[in-house]
Amino acid sequence: MRVALFATCLTDTFFPETARAVVRLLERLGCSVEFPLDQTCCGQMHFNTGYREHSKPLARKYTDVFGDYDHVVAPSGSCAGMVREVHPTLGESPPRTFELAEFLVDVLGVTDVGAWFPHRVTYHPTCHSLRMLGVGDKPLALLRAVKALDLVELPDSTHCCGFGGTFAVKNAETSTAMLADKMTSVLSTGAEVLSAGDNSCLMHIGGGLSRLRTGVRPVHLAEILASTEEDPWLATR
Amino acid sequence: MASAKEEILARIRNAKVPPVAPTVRGYDREGTGGVELFAERVADYRAIVHVVTDVPEALERLKGKRIVAPHDVPAEWLVDGVTWLHEPLTIEELDQSDGVLTGCAVAIADTGTIVLDGSEGQGRRALTLLPDYHLCVVRVDQIAASVPEALQRLEPTRPLTFISGPSATSDIELNRVEGVHGPRTLEVLIVG
Amino acid sequence: MARNPVTWLGSPTFPKAAHEALADTQLRQNLRKATGTIRGRRAAAVGEMTDWEQLRVAGEQIKDDVLSRLDTLLLQLEESVTARGGVVHWARDAEEANKIVLDLCRAENAREVVKVKSMATAEIGLNEALEAGGVHAIETDLAELIVQLGDDRPSHILVPAIHRNRSEIREIFQRRMGVEVSDEPADLAEAARVYLREKFLTAKVAISGANFAVADSGSIVVLESEGNGRMCLTLPETLITVMGIEKLVPTWQDLEVFLQLLPRSSTAERMNPYTSVWTGVTPGDGPQRFHLVLIDNGRTATLEDSVGRQALRCIRCSACLNVCPVYERTGGQSYGSVYPGPIGAILTPQLVGDMHDPQAASLPFASSLCGACFEVCPVRIDIPSVLTHLRAEAVEAKGRTAESVAMAAAAWVFREASRYEKAQKAGSLARFLARDGRITSLPWPGSKWTASRDVPAPPSESFRAWWRKNRG
Ligand code: SF4
């Protein structure tokens, strides 16, 4: 299957390891992955901050860049949600765009992707994956099938971590209060790794965990699923 | 100057809200619950429930008390040994009684609700409000399965009171506590 | 035009107000406990319904229908209420509504009136207006009474004293009622019962709000728990009901939807203890004089906005407040309005109708857009979408700012992959700022981020650079 990767600007710039993991994983599952170099950003930050007009040309660009593909996969629930739910309100008819976990489970029909990850992991189901896309527990199903992985339930997992894009800066103190509770939940699990399907939330929670020198590592779901015994995950952050 | 009414109506028209498609009522309008579900759900509100066959016998519990009753309850309910209080009654007399006995118009199994509409055997609204104890007789044929079915049986222009358990409040730490201004004890006799 | 009292005069913008609230650990504990409790109970009450989603859709559609022919339905309501012996009044704004109610109280020679909890009267500042006119309004809902006796402000639309725990309530009652009472909720409720009994039995005039008004029958519906509503709606000789013009449903049958949606969403009950329905005046039963005051106060302006008008579907259940992670941390008073939480963030600025008001304009930003509110809203108000819509209005009202310049620049960069790539390369300079792979402090506005979070150092190579090298 021919698949276009929409890396998202955040992952492309700050977390290339995640995008490389998506490529490895999808190729292992028999997809042919393309990365159109003209892609930039879905316009979510602009749209959500009140700069709707600025987001329009970015939505247009997205349609132009990916319009020829039957399947676009993004390692981000919120960017996939932006494309699917918001781009149509900006006058676009975007190509079918999936968050990674839903693409694996719904389109490829796999839950066991042959991964190996010998660590204790807890999973934060980010708000947009959960509520905008309705990804449900597909990510958990994928994680449960990973060999050697010890999955521990995150208490109050559905509570927002407090990122919210520019909310994290405009209402920094409230965001931090939400983050504090999320970190308490994460630490209560005793997990070594906090995973999520979105690097934005991971950057926020991970930034807090790093500040407190907790030693818990944020790792994107794609990196866990890409990890195998032959080619294991290596810590990059 | 235009009146407030004219101006508000003009602003509404000016907003030009487009018409909408008819409402889709895809929800369950029937319900399946009967006596058992009703009894269970009334009890969930911490009301006292009995299923009885003989009302006068069940009213023994009122002996020695001063009980308000609408004048048109079935004569057999007015058992001996109870001081029955009938209209006209002042607010003070209602407040000082030991309780009130009424029938009802409709009951709802799904929600454990009793509805009074001021018709036969129910009296005006104040009767079931001021006494601290309310004993309500519900006939099995008065129990509707669902909220939609109950509303269909009711006449909206009558003064209606839907009662679901004794008076309660959730205002302190969002936890339910029974017993504030309305009757603190609700007892229901379901007559088969 | 007079300022709309829906926001409290002198309230700071949301981030400033939140700063104070977040420092109050007692407040946060109280809120966490209360909202945590109700969230779980609501989920259970909704979970036992197999047709919940269908009910929500019907609720949404009925309310949209109302908004699409509000003029006709209001006239129909007026006609049915009048035919049953009631008197209908119309008020463009708060000032006009307050004057109508005050004049009605004066006509009855009432110095004291009893009130059932009502958002509409709180929104227009009725109590203050009555007080200024020499009429004392006594709040009879337990939580409203706690707020009134504590000289406090409300912080929740259903339970205005949600920010108070039992021991604080005990303290307020002891001080203002002059009684000894324990902090057991049952004892506190008993104290309120005793305190208010006399008032109920002697009041000549009552004031209420309305949860619903049925256009075709003229029936008014009030849902409550304690029985204070029944007291007010039944015992006095005169009843004045104040309601927003959007509180209509077209037909009696439509109530079958809302009587299922509202109790489960608000107090997590299958049904609230008491619901009263009355139509005009019933001879021999209840108040013999009935006045219905219909208020606009910003609603018709809200109706004009094709995205924002869905806020008028709101049935004030408060479910969105109870699940909101922002509300849970900051409490309701930070929103500076009787309408806090997610619904407040979209309704208040629209009722105020002026995005140049910095406080009102700060409200749509008081959300992480997590969507929990939309998920629970019984009338399916897409609160996140309205928030971003109002943010755009706020941005436009502000004109050119440092932020708008930065946003324009970022958009310019993103429009061309080549510019974006250049910026990425320049950004990798930031690596030098990082100590052992993390950045712990950035200049403003990044400092708002690094106050509590490290920033990952940008990698030596972006993904696209890697792709170009290895796959391109
Ligand atoms: S917006 Fe929806 S959830 Fe919030 S109070 Fe209104 S009806 Fe309830």
Side-chain angles (χ1 to χ4, degrees), chain C residues 290-328:
Chain C
F290 172 56
H291 295 272
L292 179 63
V293 184
L294 301 172
I295 62 168
D296 178 341
N297 202 39
R299 285 164 179 74
T300 48
T302 305
L303 195 66
E304 278 176 32
D305 183 326
S306 61
V307 177
R309 74 167 66 106
Q310 57 184 305
L312 297 176
R313 294 207 291 259
C314 174
I315 55 173
R316 311 278 189 266
C317 72
S318 73
C320 60
L321 280 65
N322 298 336
V323 298
C324 176
V326 173
Y327 176 88
E328 185 186 332

Side-chain angles (χ1 to χ4, degrees), chain B residues 138-173:
Chain B
V138 178
R139 291 196 319 265
V140 165
D141 65 288
Q142 290 176 316
I143 302 175
S146 65
V147 173
E149 189 192 334
L151 292 196
Q152 215 167 8
R153 291 197 202 177
L154 290 162
E155 164 54 45
T157 54
R158 299 195 66 90
L160 304 176
T161 307
F162 292 61
I163 299 172
S164 307
S167 107
T169 182
S170 301
D171 282 0
I172 300 164
E173 299 173 2

Side-chain angles (χ1 to χ4, degrees), chain C residues 217-469:
Chain C
S217 65
S219 313
I220 312 291
V221 186
V222 166
L223 282 75
E224 53 137 349
S225 296
E226 296 163 17
N228 61 313
R230 292 178 71 193
M231 293 280 179
C232 293
L233 302 172
T234 315
L235 300 182
E237 290 158 10
T238 300
L239 171 62
I240 305 168
T241 297
V242 181
M243 68 168 232
I245 51 172
E246 83 286 18
K247 294 268 124 194
L248 286 169
V249 294
T251 68
W252 174 246
Q253 194 202 346
D254 295 321
L255 273 183
E256 69 189 28
V257 174
F258 298 103
L259 288 185
Q260 298 191 72
L261 288 174
L262 183 49
R264 289 180 201 257
S265 299
S266 65
T267 46
E269 292 163 304
R270 295 192 181 106
M271 197 64 104
N272 50 296
Y274 301 128
T275 297
S276 295
V277 182
W278 72 97
T279 310
V281 169
T282 306
D285 189 348
Q288 296 300 298
R289 284 184 289 284
F290 172 56
H291 295 272
L292 179 63
V293 184
L294 301 172
I295 62 168
D296 178 341
N297 202 39
R299 285 164 179 74
T300 48
T302 305
L303 195 66
E304 278 176 32
D305 183 326
S306 61
V307 177
R309 74 167 66 106
Q310 57 184 305
L312 297 176
R313 294 207 291 259
C314 174
I315 55 173
R316 311 278 189 266
C317 72
S318 73
C320 60
L321 280 65
N322 298 336
V323 298
C324 176
V326 173
Y327 176 88
E328 185 186 332
R329 272 49 179 217
T330 65
Q333 293 176 354
S334 301
Y335 295 78
S337 165
V338 293
Y339 299 117
I343 180 62
I346 61 169
L347 185 61
T348 304
Q350 296 196 87
L351 293 181
V352 169
D354 177 13
M355 280 297 186
H356 292 99
D357 173 337
Q359 194 271 337
S362 73
L363 295 176
F365 295 91
S367 166
S368 64
L369 304 177
C370 79
C373 47
F374 183 22
E375 191 174 50
V376 297
C377 177
V379 286
R380 293 170 43 88
I381 300 174
D382 184 352
I383 296 177
S385 290
V386 182
L387 286 168
T388 52
H389 171 76
L390 296 175
R391 286 177 183 187
E393 284 182 11
V395 162
E396 197 179 328
K398 261 194 160 172
R400 200 182 148 89
T401 59
E403 181 191 277
S404 74
V405 171
M407 284 287 178
W412 180 80
V413 166
F414 284 139
R415 279 204 293 273
E416 275 305 328
S418 55
R419 294 198 285 257
Y420 164 68
E421 220 171 311
K422 256 193 215 122
Q424 268 184 335
K425 283 186 190 134
S428 58
L429 282 174
R431 277 164 50 76
F432 295 109
L433 300 171
R435 269 180 274 268
D436 61 0
R438 68 186 137 204
I439 297 170
T440 53
S441 83
L442 285 175
W444 189 92
S447 57
K448 296 249 183 195
W449 177 277
T450 51
S452 59
R453 293 150 288 211
D454 290 344
V455 179
S460 52
E461 180 181 63
S462 69
F463 174 72
R464 70 177 52 229
W466 174 86
W467 181 274
R468 219 187 266 290
K469 218 186 290 169

Side-chain angles (χ1 to χ4, degrees), chain B residues 5 25 27 176 180 184, chain C residues 78 190 193 254 256 269:
Chain B
K5 175 177 165 180
R25 296 183 195 271
Y27 52 89
R176 183 172 159 126
V180 198
R184 285 182 281 194
Chain C
E78 180 180 50
E190 168 69 14
R193 177 183 169 102
D254 295 321
E256 69 189 28
E269 292 163 304

